[in-house]
Amino acid sequence: MSRDPSEEPARPAKAAKPVRRRGRPARAEAAEGPGARERILTAARTEFAERGYDKTSVRGIGKAAGVDAALVHHYFGTKEQVFAAAIELSFAPALTIPDAIADGGEAGAGERMARFVFGIWENPVSRPPLLAIMRSALTNETAATVLRGLIERRLLPRVAGELHVPDPEFRAQLAASHLMGIAMLRYVIKMEPMASADLEEIVAMVAPTLQRYLTEA
């Protein structure tokens, strides 16, 4: 006797497979959570500061942030792009140098610039990321290119825009090179007597030269 198919017990339906967004593994999605981008950026700053550009990897950044490396690529792209985002965050205090120059007019502009820049370097919070940037730029051409691009795009044009002298772009570069040279000797190489010199003495000697760059025709 044939059985009526309608009498057979219904088979349980197969569970639908979860839809995954293209290019992002499920493990990365599960690990994303709130604030993942900020965690990655913080981890990148730490990794670059401690290991330098050459020894830092996207996988290591992801591990430090508690996410999959694919998520690092998703937010920032290549290692070079992660580095660019990390140094832009670290370099953010320096991007307000033009405001320090403009505040108060031409008189005392050189001293304000010196105090502002050295104040960033003397700060124990902002100094380590800056040290990482400088060391990476000295040892890796990719890192140097990223830093140079940031300075050329975001900093020097704004400084030059505050100057009322011939060749303001060149003047801005002269001032920047003077300060970066001192920062290199004092904070990176730690060459004596520059490394242990009183900051007020340095500012007093540097400010007149900066003033000439910034204001004297």
Side-chain angles (χ1 to χ4, degrees), residues 184-187 189-196:
M184 178 67 67
L185 291 178
R186 181 174 173 85
Y187 304 106
I189 301 177
K190 298 182 179 179
M191 182 178 292
E192 295 295 348
M194 181 69 74
S196 58

Side-chain angles (χ1 to χ4, degrees), residues 77-177:
T78 64
K79 173 182 168 179
E80 179 181 341
Q81 291 169 315
V82 181
F83 181 73
I87 70 168
E88 186 158 355
L89 180 63
S90 300
F91 212 68
L95 296 180
T96 59
I97 290 174
D99 300 329
I101 296 174
D103 185 21
E106 290 188 354
E111 181 178 347
R112 290 196 304 275
M113 186 178 191
R115 288 191 182 282
F116 188 89
V117 171
F118 293 137
I120 296 172
W121 277 101
E122 292 290 323
N123 188 323
V125 175
S126 53
R127 186 192 303 176
L130 290 176
L131 284 172
I133 293 170
M134 295 284 280
R135 288 166 178 159
S136 295
L138 287 172
T139 58
N140 184 277
E141 180 57 34
T142 300
T145 300
V146 172
L147 177 59
R148 182 168 57 247
L150 177 62
I151 293 174
E152 289 176 344
R153 292 192 323 270
R154 301 288 303 281
L155 182 59
L156 291 184
R158 291 190 57 217
V159 172
E162 298 294 339
L163 307 184
H164 306 286
V165 290
D167 301 319
E169 294 83 4
F170 185 55
R171 299 292 192 97
Q173 285 192 4
L174 283 173
S177 65

Side-chain angles (χ1 to χ4, degrees), residues 16-97:
K17 292 183 177 180
V19 178
R20 285 169 54 187
R21 281 174 281 181
R22 187 176 181 181
R24 300 180 63 194
R27 184 171 50 169
E29 291 185 24
E32 181 174 345
R37 189 181 189 282
E38 290 70 24
R39 294 202 313 273
I40 293 170
L41 199 52
T42 299
R45 290 180 66 190
T46 302
E47 290 291 299
F48 284 122
E50 293 180 351
R51 302 175 183 276
Y53 184 87
D54 289 327
K55 294 183 179 180
T56 297
S57 66
V58 171
R59 184 183 297 275
I61 292 170
K63 183 178 180 181
V67 302
D68 194 282
L71 196 60
V72 180
H73 287 298
H74 170 74
Y75 279 121
F76 297 101
T78 64
K79 173 182 168 179
E80 179 181 341
Q81 291 169 315
V82 181
F83 181 73
I87 70 168
E88 186 158 355
L89 180 63
S90 300
F91 212 68
L95 296 180
T96 59
I97 290 174

